[in-house]
Amino acid sequence: MSIQKVALITGGGRGIGAATARLFAKQGYAVAINYKSNSEAANKLAETITADGGKCIVIQADVSFEEDVIRMFSTVDKVLGRLSVLVNNAGILKKQSRLEDMTADRINAILVNNVTSYFLCCREAVKRMSTRHGGLGGVIVNVSSRAARSGSPNEYIDYAASKGAIDTLTKGLSLEVAAEGIRVNCVRPGLIYTDMHADGGEPERVERLKTVIPLQRGGQPEEVAEAIYWLASDKSSFSTGNFLDITGGL
Ligand code: NAP
């Protein structure tokens, strides 16, 4: 009997992370769903997955805190076993604003939530997956954004820059661990229907902008999840340090 693979999805309670957790569970993975504060959404998702015959656990952890990240990974070790896949997905954005109006507190909050968190989770994953540390290899998929390339002027350059850092993290780490059994890839979604746009102060942002998208519509979280799943699967076995844009052509 083959051993069930284990995937950890940060920010897995809502949006793209939740769609990803559902897909991995459906494909037979044991899934660790991380969330920060919305326990209701994460627990409801876990109930649905379990009702459909999937295996999952829910872990509260603020991935911008080192102690929380360490606790989260050791919980996965103890409860689910050897980690095969890390999906770094948890992210935030703040209200739309020009750079002149951004405070240091705001910029730092974006960077610690969207960048430090990915570094810390990658560190813990590499310690477990790398053949250098006695591991059996694994896959990391980072969720960046189209914003890394557009720069998000007049909306949130801080968020866009945090995603630029994730692109660089993906490239550097993929090369650092390529000979140690670990592949590191990245998806860059465009405009996707999730709660995140409300956090930016414009819940209907995707509707407003959808006509500029060549496919003439916003994307669904499930469409991003499929790309994440492919990059995590053996079907993408020759891809590392690569980027998959899921933008409807934008
Ligand atoms: P979302 O619906 O707002 O969900 C964000 C998730 O991240 C939530 O589950 C949230 O937890 C979690 N989270 C945030 N900060 C966290 C922290 N410090 N520790 C642990 N969990 C944390 O957002 P989404 O649109 O699905 O975004 C997912 C990823 O896709 C993000 O990296 C985002 O930048 C990227 N992305 C989104 C779009 C888009 O159009 N939606 C486009 C490009 C890229 P709680 O549920 O507990 O609050």
Side-chain angles (χ1 to χ4, degrees):
M1 204 179 81
S2 64
I3 295 168
Q4 189 173 30
K5 284 189 173 179
V6 174
L8 166 61
I9 298 154
T10 70
R14 294 186 289 124
I16 293 168
T20 306
R22 271 194 298 272
L23 180 58
F24 274 74
K26 199 174 139 205
Q27 296 293 343
Y29 279 77
V31 178
I33 301 165
N34 156 250
Y35 72 97
K36 180 169 72 175
S37 45
N38 193 333
S39 58
E40 200 185 330
N43 285 315
K44 212 168 151 195
L45 171 67
E47 277 170 30
T48 317
I49 288 175
T50 310
D52 288 344
K55 181 172 177 180
C56 66
I57 59 168
V58 171
I59 308 174
Q60 190 286 326
D62 182 335
V63 289
S64 60
F65 286 128
E66 191 165 19
E67 311 86 78
D68 280 24
V69 170
I70 292 168
R71 173 176 52 77
M72 175 173 75
F73 275 82
S74 51
T75 303
V76 174
D77 295 340
K78 281 184 213 132
V79 184
L80 296 180
R82 192 179 71 77
L83 185 70
S84 307
V85 175
L86 164 66
V87 180
N88 263 323
N89 164 79
I92 60 163
L93 56 69
K94 300 274 184 188
K95 294 268 174 295
Q96 293 171 3
S97 160
R98 282 175 56 92
L99 184 140
E100 294 98 296
D101 300 318
M102 290 181 188
T103 62
D105 279 352
R106 168 188 164 127
I107 298 161
N108 288 335
I110 289 288
L111 294 177
V112 79
N113 262 282
N114 294 359
V115 182
T116 308
S117 60
Y118 278 45
F119 273 76
L120 292 173
C121 290
C122 281
R123 183 190 75 192
E124 293 306 309
V126 167
K127 280 187 195 170
R128 286 158 175 80
M129 294 171 177
S130 171
T131 52
R132 192 164 175 255
H133 299 291
L136 298 175
V139 185
I140 296 172
V141 182
N142 290 326
V143 180
S144 171
S145 172
R146 173 183 168 267
R149 286 166 305 131
S150 74
S152 303
N154 304 304
E155 289 192 319
Y156 13 72
I157 301 176
D158 51 353
Y159 169 84
S162 76
K163 294 303 186 178
I166 297 313
D167 288 4
T168 307
L169 164 67
T170 302
K171 185 50 77 181
L173 184 62
S174 69
L175 298 174
E176 195 162 292
V177 299
E180 298 168 21
I182 307 176
R183 295 187 298 113
V184 186
N185 289 297
C186 187
V187 297
R188 289 189 292 213
L191 291 157
I192 310 298
Y193 288 102
T194 71
D195 299 341
M196 180 168 263
H197 304 285
D199 298 337
E202 190 187 359
E204 300 305 320
R205 180 167 171 263
V206 182
E207 281 305 286
R208 173 171 65 84
L209 294 171
K210 70 180 182 188
T211 51
V212 303
I213 300 169
L215 287 185
Q216 297 293 299
R217 64 172 181 86
Q220 295 298 335
E222 289 72 20
E223 295 177 291
V224 182
E226 290 289 349
I228 295 171
Y229 183 74
W230 182 76
L231 284 172
S233 77
D234 292 342
K235 303 264 185 201
S236 64
S237 50
F238 202 51
S239 296
T240 198
N242 294 144
F243 297 83
L244 192 41
D245 295 338
I246 310 295
T247 61
L250 192 62

